[in-house]
Amino acid sequence: MTKSQAEIELKKLREEIERHNYAYYVLAEPMISDYEFDKLLERLLAIEKAFPDLVTPDSPSQRVGGAITKEFPTVQHKERMMSLSNTYSPDELREFVERVQKDLRAEGLGEPEFSCELKFDGVAVSLVYRNGLFVQGATRGDGSMGDDITPNLKTIPTIPLRAKESSNALARALLNAEFEVRGEVFMTKTDFAVLNAQSEKAFANPRNATAGTLKLQDSREVAKRKLAFTAYFLSSDALSDDVAHAERMNLLEELGFRVSQHRRVAKSLAEIEAFLSEWEKRRDDLPFEIDGAVIKVNSIRQQKALGATLKAPRWAIAYKFSARQAETKLLGVTFQVGRVGTITPVAELEPVFLAGSTISRSTLHNFDEIARLDLRIGDVVVLEKSGDVIPKVVRVVSEKRPADATPIELPTRCPSCDSPLVKPENEVNWYCPNEARCPAQIRGRILHYASRDAMDIENLGDAIVDQLLKERLIADAGDLYALEKSRLVDLERFGEKSAQNLLNAIEASKSRPLERLIFGLGIRHVGLATARTLARKFPSIERLASATLDELEQTEDIGDIIAKSVYDFFRNPLNISLLEKLKTAGVNMTGETFETIQNPRIAGKTFVFTGALEKFTREEAEREVEKRGGKASSSVSKKTDYLVTGSKAGSKLEKAKSLGVKILSEDEFLALLNS
Ligand code: IVH
């Protein structure tokens, strides 16, 4: 095949494949079998492989993925991506409609029409098309800047790589200009269930699964997960304000985008309410999750006149549906032991179908909750699923309590290791104190260490951890790094390949950032945000481990309870031994190394800060000192060299004066830093 022959055939193949793609995904009317489709794609890939310089950005081969992104570039949105004001209340909806009507009348802009749409529960993205070609796709980010995730978005079959040709005059104008489409990327309930069944670690709901997928750095992996896109916004300089929102949605369809069919233009509050009550009833019939409806003023002219507040447009509102409920029977209560020993009661329920899934268990949080609900075994209970997919027991239907309902016996010993339970004063939770040997706690700690937000060891889920523990191959997370392939392959469920995959995943975890390690250690009260704060203040595990209680308490956003918990953690022999193993294994234990600056006037000196600084936060000032080899301390003593005073300096100033410590203003401090 010559290059020019290839060029001709590629063009034909691309058009044909995209036509079938559109018929299959957008119209849901396939024209050929999957087999025939795959053949066409294979042929395309083969020719492109032979003539790599003929690959185009809109080739269907781009949907297969392949690009690996280390870090997504940040891009500026042309127009701010705002969110919507929310309401659950029919009264507030009425107020919204009345306000819009009143404001428009006051400006002599006539009566509004409203576009009623479903509120897709996924992830908002912005797509930019230039001359019909999809050139950039980004997340919302903070509204003005988002992540450029174009390669990932290209894998989504319902996102056109090139907008469809059209004879419509407005569509043609768009095809010759730049336009921006916004919409929601989501996963259907079925695809979500399939994904969760395949992966070791479950996502809580389709929205989380979508967000997690879009963040993947390997677009080939994204292509394997089934994501979909629906458009709900179109903007372009090529369109006049006379082209209303509903008409724009039709244009998007014309250009090959999928737009929800369940939209309606309403002229009155009554019509809006009819739309809402219809979808509140029918939401479970939809193949995807919605969390409400969006009501938008249809005319763009009117939208512009109404304007926006800082966060949200004043021409639209999201009406959220209230939580869905179901009744079922409480069959029993089991007690789980968490990784820090917390005992959590779990309701075992007669399976009931609620909002798209069958529920047979639900957490009861703590013993007080059982008392609060006055729960007995045999009771009929009301289960509720709100926006998030985690269901909870909200009340007992007391009229339906059977005569033989039995009170729930609260355990006094750990269900896993039989240690007597304890309850710290001022806490609602009961705990198993056998931190070192309780099997449930050991298991929980390892699973937490491997979890997605911590060290993210893929393939290490419940079943495998159980097996490794049972075979005594591990006793804590540190032992994971000493696992040997020859031992693994002997185990049930393991083959050569799966053993190697696990070892690779464990190896990869060695280079996670410091904050993930801090989180993964499972220090009580230290969530991801706190771990991040600690990693910012302490550049290594060693520094964190040797931090004084005082230093910890002085860290921004860290209260006394967390400080004490961190302090105790690093003085517990169990954890010392774990850290030793992690260190020996070569697990990364330092944060981003920050620059060091030579400054002999600061090196070796101890600084204390008091009062509010103007040019720095306290943390930043301390960082600057540390960069130059100085030390920041929180209290004034004989060892203090400098006290830096901001406005409203407190008692430290008095003390410093009495000890003869040198006092610096913020400006003097700045001069010293730069000297
Ligand atoms: S319009 C300025 N329409 O809801 C208005 N948003 O809470 C932009 N969403 O960030 C949004 N379905 O992710 C609009 N039919 C729909 C929607 C929708 C879902 C999401 C979107 C937005 C969020 C606001």
Side-chain angles (χ1 to χ4, degrees), residues 3 6-7 10-11 14 43-65 133 154 161-162:
K3 193 160 172 182
E7 215 167 343
L10 281 176
K11 183 160 185 294
R14 279 175 196 146
R43 173 101 186 117
L44 175 88
L45 291 172
I47 302 179
E48 284 190 353
K49 196 167 172 199
F51 299 94
D53 53 326
L54 293 182
V55 178
T56 57
D58 61 344
S59 169
S61 59
Q62 304 299 301
R63 298 209 183 276
V64 183
L133 186 69
K154 279 190 171 178
L161 299 175
R162 178 177 285 286

Side-chain angles (χ1 to χ4, degrees), residues 295-558:
I295 314 299
K296 303 171 183 169
V297 169
N298 193 28
S299 149
I300 306 295
R301 232 171 254 299
Q302 292 178 344
Q303 286 184 3
K304 289 197 172 161
L306 290 163
T309 66
L310 266 185
K311 278 180 286 174
R314 297 174 62 228
W315 45 263
I317 194 165
Y319 184 87
K320 298 263 200 128
F321 294 146
S322 47
R324 288 156 297 178
Q325 297 189 330
E327 284 186 8
T328 189
K329 194 166 145 186
L330 181 70
L331 301 176
V333 174
T334 51
F335 294 86
Q336 283 184 347
V337 189
R339 64 183 162 85
V340 294
T342 327
I343 310 294
T344 308
V346 177
E348 304 290 341
L349 305 160
E350 200 164 81
V352 60
F353 191 78
L354 172 60
S357 60
T358 302
I359 292 149
S360 52
R361 320 185 72 199
S362 162
T363 174
L364 293 167
H365 304 291
N366 53 54
F367 295 2
D368 288 3
E369 179 75 357
I370 295 178
R372 192 186 68 79
L373 291 165
D374 180 28
L375 206 55
R376 313 236 174 121
I377 293 166
D379 268 340
V380 174
V381 296
V382 176
L383 263 186
E384 185 174 289
K385 213 176 195 183
S386 37
D388 261 75
V389 184
I390 301 161
K392 65 172 198 251
V393 175
V394 286
R395 65 187 174 88
V396 167
V397 186
S398 43
E399 312 87 81
K400 296 192 184 166
R401 171 165 288 169
D404 61 350
T406 45
I408 291 152
E409 239 177 274
L410 299 178
T412 54
R413 291 180 163 272
C414 173
S416 177
C417 70
D418 208 38
S419 305
L421 299 181
V422 296
K423 178 175 178 301
E425 239 176 285
N426 309 327
E427 273 199 52
V428 283
N429 287 324
W430 284 79
Y431 290 91
C432 162
N434 186 12
E435 199 182 356
R437 302 209 186 291
C438 174
Q441 290 190 51
I442 293 172
R443 172 182 192 271
R445 283 196 295 264
I446 298 171
L447 282 169
H448 173 74
Y449 181 86
S451 66
R452 213 178 248 132
D453 286 340
M455 302 297 269
D456 194 16
I457 306 182
E458 237 184 297
N459 316 321
L460 192 66
D462 300 32
I464 300 215
V465 168
D466 285 341
Q467 201 177 3
L468 297 175
L469 284 168
K470 189 170 136 245
E471 301 291 338
R472 295 183 187 279
L473 291 179
I474 58 173
D476 65 20
D479 296 334
L480 292 169
Y481 298 96
L483 285 174
E484 282 167 19
K485 190 160 164 192
S486 57
R487 294 292 317 271
L488 287 178
V489 290
D490 286 343
L491 301 180
E492 220 178 295
R493 306 163 56 114
F494 271 104
E496 182 81 19
K497 179 126 185 282
S498 51
Q500 192 55 51
N501 284 346
L502 178 60
L503 291 178
N504 292 348
I506 292 172
E507 183 66 27
S509 74
K510 287 183 184 173
S511 51
R512 300 277 178 259
L514 178 62
E515 62 197 47
R516 303 269 220 110
L517 175 63
I518 296 177
F519 175 64
L521 290 174
I523 307 170
R524 190 177 293 183
H525 307 303
V526 176
L528 206 47
T530 307
R532 221 167 268 150
T533 306
L534 290 170
R536 238 179 286 132
K537 163 119 179 191
F538 301 96
S540 68
I541 286 283
E542 244 164 24
R543 268 295 284 123
L544 179 62
S546 65
T548 63
L549 196 51
D550 197 43
E551 266 181 292
L552 289 164
E553 282 171 358
Q554 294 304 322
T555 307
E556 237 168 286
D557 300 330
I558 306 270

Side-chain angles (χ1 to χ4, degrees), residues 82-84 117-120 124 184 232 294 296 313 315:
M82 289 196 277
S83 60
L84 295 171
E117 302 168 14
L118 301 181
K119 187 170 188 304
F120 285 76
E184 203 84 350
Y232 52 63
V294 181
K296 303 171 183 169
W315 45 263

Side-chain angles (χ1 to χ4, degrees), residues 48-225:
E48 284 190 353
K49 196 167 172 199
F51 299 94
D53 53 326
L54 293 182
V55 178
T56 57
D58 61 344
S59 169
S61 59
Q62 304 299 301
R63 298 209 183 276
V64 183
I68 309 268
T69 326
K70 267 203 104 171
E71 222 170 274
F72 299 116
T74 312
V75 288
Q76 174 103 39
H77 296 301
K78 222 172 139 197
E79 262 174 77
R80 247 183 92 71
M81 280 183 88
M82 289 196 277
S83 60
L84 295 171
S85 347
N86 282 331
T87 181
Y88 289 88
S89 120
D91 284 344
E92 282 179 20
L93 175 70
R94 184 172 39 76
E95 282 163 24
F96 164 76
V97 171
E98 286 172 358
R99 177 179 56 72
V100 165
Q101 288 170 334
K102 186 172 138 266
D103 289 0
L104 292 175
R105 275 175 211 148
E107 302 216 30
L109 284 168
E111 293 299 310
E113 288 184 342
F114 296 94
S115 170
C116 307
E117 302 168 14
L118 301 181
K119 187 170 188 304
F120 285 76
D121 198 8
V123 176
V125 296
S126 146
L127 314 174
V128 178
Y129 286 77
R130 218 166 278 145
N131 297 320
L133 186 69
F134 173 40
V135 290
Q136 186 186 83
T139 60
R140 192 172 92 92
D142 66 1
S144 60
M145 315 266 266
D147 286 345
D148 180 340
I149 52 166
T150 314
N152 287 354
L153 291 172
K154 279 190 171 178
T155 68
I156 301 177
T158 37
I159 293 184
L161 299 175
R162 178 177 285 286
K164 206 157 69 69
E165 285 298 324
S166 160
S167 54
N168 176 304
L170 288 175
R172 294 179 66 90
L174 287 167
L175 284 167
N176 290 317
E178 179 172 305
F179 62 89
E180 186 192 353
V181 180
R182 290 183 187 168
E184 203 84 350
V185 175
F186 63 98
M187 200 177 274
T188 64
K189 295 171 189 169
T190 316
D191 289 333
F192 166 69
V194 171
L195 172 68
N196 257 359
Q198 284 167 352
S199 46
E200 277 275 359
K201 274 167 272 169
F203 286 102
N205 53 47
R207 174 169 28 82
N208 289 357
T210 305
T213 303
L214 286 179
K215 268 193 257 161
L216 292 175
Q217 279 148 352
D218 181 352
S219 58
R220 208 180 296 263
E221 201 47 47
V222 180
K224 287 188 204 151
R225 314 250 185 110

